Amino acid sequence: MSTHFRNGWMSSTEGDAELSNSLIKIASLEEEKLYDKKFLDELAEQSNGMIIVRKSKKILYPLKNKESLTYEHLPSFANEGYDPVAWFGNEQYSVRQHDFYFKDGSEGSIFLLSRSDSFVTFARTFFPIIFVSLLLILLLTNVLLSYFVSRSILRPVKQLSDASSKISKGDFNFSIKPKSKDELGKLVQTFDAMRSQLKESLEIRDKYEQNRKELIANISHDLKTPITSILGYVEGIQVGVANTAAKQDRYLETIHAKASYMNRLIEELFLYSTLDLNKLPFTFEEVNIKDFVKDFLDEIDDELLEKNVNLSFAADDVNSTVLLDRDKLIRVLANIIYNSVKYMDKNLCQIDVSIEDKDPFVEIMISDNGPGVSDKDLSAIFNQFYQSDHARHRGGSGLGLAIASQIIEIHGGEIWAESGSEGGLSVHFTLKKLGKKGNQDE
């Protein structure tokens, strides 16, 4: 019988069932062995469970047990079977019970008890550990999440804080790049775009301020020179230096010329200011552009001839009507033409005026054979308060082409300059043609 039982047999359900079947056979065929304590001890020693033999209300085996089980602890007779969870006192067991009758007719029961590793036992043992582990995991997860979330928030906030500090100190020579594509990343990107625009605005403001200072300096110089001359000639008349009628006439003509120059300078400045503030009224009317330009050139032709300036005009196949302000467009033509005359470096000045139909615009081009303009100055001659180095030596406010640019812009056209193929300067501007019904083409 002992050959059926090896160490570890109780570790599986099959071992319990095999031992239970052996005990059932013993109860049926070898009842006397149930009184043999030595035999039962051998079985008990080779098993991890507990064998209990009960006769009527008396426990035959074991006479004493370490579990201190009594009759009252055991299931009653006629409960044969397998109970995986049975409580004896405070302990839990799995119980296999076989009921039979001894030869003398007494009720008998054989119990095979094994400690049950039930969920409750497992829970009692491991739930505190599991709970503490889960608590630690939760705490660690919370710390990690807090770290990464705070990092993702604090990093762009620190970027913005550092950038704001630099801007408050007037430093715009930096850029910040977003570390993510979320809303905070977009905020960083928007902030950097604002910084870039602010830097550009300040640069424009500084440039404008510098040009304004230069303009004031130039105008002050240009006003002071004729004023000094006027005062000198007036004093000459007062003290009797101009002691002849001819001398007095010459002095008065000079005073008149200087005063007229000052008046033109002041008028240019006032005109530019009113244009810049959009306070100058415009009176538009339908005009044949070819006839208009030709009439103006005819008016100034004699004056220019006296200054060795030759005018030419070409407008073949052009018969377009535009909507313009006569006085303002005359100012544009005069500013461009007299600008060429002013900076002419040759004995004979040649100015060519032409008109081309470039539907839906007409393009007017005024070219000269003067010194021209450098590529650097070419892109800036229409800027506010701009004067090239060459222009500064000639005096003047430098507002003529800036005024022309603003007037053309208000007319809905464009103005630009190009260097001539054989030197000189060509100034182009466009005007929008009127449609057949008298409306400007869309």
Side-chain angles (χ1 to χ4, degrees), residues 60 62 87 115 118 126 137 139 145 172 181 184 228 284 296 310 315 376 380 388-389 400 422 432 434:
L60 297 180
W87 288 92
R115 288 192 177 275
S118 67
F126 293 101
I137 291 172
L139 181 62
L145 285 176
F172 296 89
K181 296 183 179 179
L184 286 172
T228 302
F284 291 96
F296 172 72
N310 183 44
K376 178 188 72 172
S388 66
D389 293 335
E422 299 179 359
K432 210 165 189 179
L434 287 175

Side-chain angles (χ1 to χ4, degrees), residues 158-172:
K158 187 177 185 305
Q159 278 186 304
L160 295 175
S161 177
D162 293 342
S164 299
S165 178
K166 289 181 179 179
I167 290 175
S168 67
K169 296 175 182 178
D171 180 11
F172 296 89

Side-chain angles (χ1 to χ4, degrees), residues 222-223 226 256-266 342 395-396:
D222 289 342
L223 288 175
H256 181 269
K258 298 296 183 180
S260 297
Y261 170 75
M262 291 173 56
N263 186 58
R264 286 197 305 271
L265 197 61
I266 294 171
K342 181 177 182 179

Side-chain angles (χ1 to χ4, degrees), residues 183-202:
E183 295 301 322
L184 286 172
K186 292 180 180 178
L187 177 61
V188 171
Q189 187 175 7
T190 303
F191 187 91
D192 190 61
M194 180 190 70
R195 175 205 60 80
S196 179
Q197 292 176 359
L198 184 58
K199 178 185 177 184
E200 184 178 354
S201 298
L202 291 176

